[in-house]
Each structure stands twice: as structure tokens, then as C-alpha cells.
């Protein structure tokens, strides 16, 4: 082989060996939660970021607290619909809470591009406590993110 072909082949191998690395300094993903029967399904999320959780108090005759969660999730194709479910809270003071996030895939009849899609997700739920030690967002058998110390916003 000529030296030009060897250099081209070496460059291609170098490029391919870098596939899958983002150069990001984000935290590594949290480990799967073992022994939980609800975590048997897989999660289509390829990554996530920009998570926030806040508690707000509403006035009125019967005041209530609302937990609002926002984030971004990378999915393998467009068209997934997020499905949220409030999970368990632990018995610590203040408690921690798990929120389950799954995604309904696009209809098999829909034509979708095979591209990574960034999806903004949003969830609101009425809660009983005015402070949480953490909110863990789970998808399938993995924890997507652990949001620490959530308090009521003024």
C-alpha cells in the first residue's frame, strides 16, 4: 500500500475510534437500580441534561404544593411521548422521592427519521412535603438523574 493510503486508513480509524465520545465533562450515568420489579423494562434514553426541580406553593382556600420537573432527554428517534409516574418516597426527614419516566414509542405506521432527537420533558404533581432531600428520575432500570435538595421557591 502506498503511504497516502496508509495515512488515509489511519485517519479513518482515528476518527472512528473517537465515535461515541462527546468530550463532555458531565457526571457519568447513575447505576441501575437492582431488585425493583418495575425496572425490568429498558429505557430508550441515550442521555439527559438540564434537569431542574422546584416546589411552588399556590394560594387559595386550600393551599397546595406543586413539584415541577423539567429536563432534556436524548432519544433515538423523534415522536416518543413521555409518560410520568410518581414513585415512592423514603421515610427520611426531609424525604427523597423517585419519579418514573418512560416513553411511548412513535406509532409503527409513522415515518420517523433515524436521528437522535432532543426532547424537553415537563412534569407537575401535587406533593405533601415542603422540602425534599432529592428527586431521582428513573427510566427503565436506570437512574437518569438525582436532583439534590429541592425546597419551596418564594
Amino acid at each position: 500500500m502506498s503511504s497516502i493510503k496508509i495515512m488515509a486508513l489511519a485517519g479513518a480509524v482515528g476518527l472512528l475510534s473517537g465515535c461515541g465520545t462527546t468530550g463532555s465533562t458531565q457526571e457519568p450515568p447513575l447505576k441501575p437500580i437492582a431488585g425493583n420489579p418495575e425496572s425490568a423494562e429498558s429505557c430508550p434514553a441515550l442521555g439527559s441534561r438540564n434537569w431542574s426541580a422546584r416546589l411552588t406553593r399556590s394560594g387559595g382556600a386550600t393551599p397546595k404544593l406543586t413539584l415541577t420537573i423539567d429536563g432534556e432527554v436524548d432519544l433515538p428517534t423523534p415522536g416518543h411521548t413521555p409518560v410520568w409516574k410518581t414513585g415512592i418516597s423514603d421515610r427520611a426527614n426531609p424525604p427523597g422521592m423517585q419519579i418514573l419516566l418512560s416513553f411511548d414509542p412513535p406509532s409503527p405506521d409513522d415515518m420517523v427519521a433515524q436521528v437522535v432527537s432532543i426532547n424537553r420533558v415537563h412534569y407537575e404533581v401535587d406533593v405533601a412535603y415542603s422540602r425534599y432531600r432529592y428527586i431521582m428520575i428513573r427510566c427503565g432500570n436506570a437512574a437518569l438523574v438525582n436532583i439534590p435538595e429541592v425546597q419551596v421557591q418564594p
Side-chain angles (χ1 to χ4, degrees):
M1 265 206 286
S2 73
S3 62
I4 293 175
K5 286 182 183 177
I6 291 173
M7 287 177 53
L9 181 60
V13 169
L15 283 175
L16 290 176
S17 66
C19 287
T21 61
T22 62
S24 172
T25 59
Q26 291 182 350
E27 296 178 20
L30 298 171
K31 296 197 186 301
I33 299 170
N36 188 332
E38 289 185 28
S39 66
E41 70 202 54
S42 65
C43 178
L46 303 172
S48 71
R49 67 191 147 293
N50 298 330
W51 288 99
S52 68
R54 64 190 175 280
L55 286 162
T56 53
R57 189 181 314 270
S58 65
T62 54
K64 63 180 181 176
L65 287 169
T66 302
L67 172 66
T68 303
I69 298 171
D70 292 295
E72 294 178 352
V73 180
D74 298 334
L75 296 169
T77 60
H80 286 79
T81 305
V83 178
W84 296 88
K85 180 180 174 188
T86 302
I88 61 170
S89 292
D90 63 25
R91 296 176 63 181
N93 187 14
M97 178 188 280
Q98 294 185 26
I99 304 288
L100 312 176
L101 174 60
S102 61
F103 293 92
D104 286 342
S107 167
D109 298 331
D110 290 347
M111 202 148 104
V112 294
Q114 296 296 309
V115 297
V116 174
S117 170
I118 299 171
N119 296 269
R120 289 191 173 105
V121 292
H122 176 83
Y123 182 57
E124 289 186 5
V125 63
D126 292 340
V127 293
Y129 298 103
S130 61
R131 190 171 155 209
Y132 285 88
R133 196 171 75 257
Y134 68 86
I135 302 293
M136 180 184 290
I137 310 296
R138 291 186 27 220
C139 183
N141 65 351
L144 285 179
V145 68
N146 191 19
I147 305 168
E149 199 65 34
V150 182
Q151 298 183 7
V152 175
Q153 303 227 329

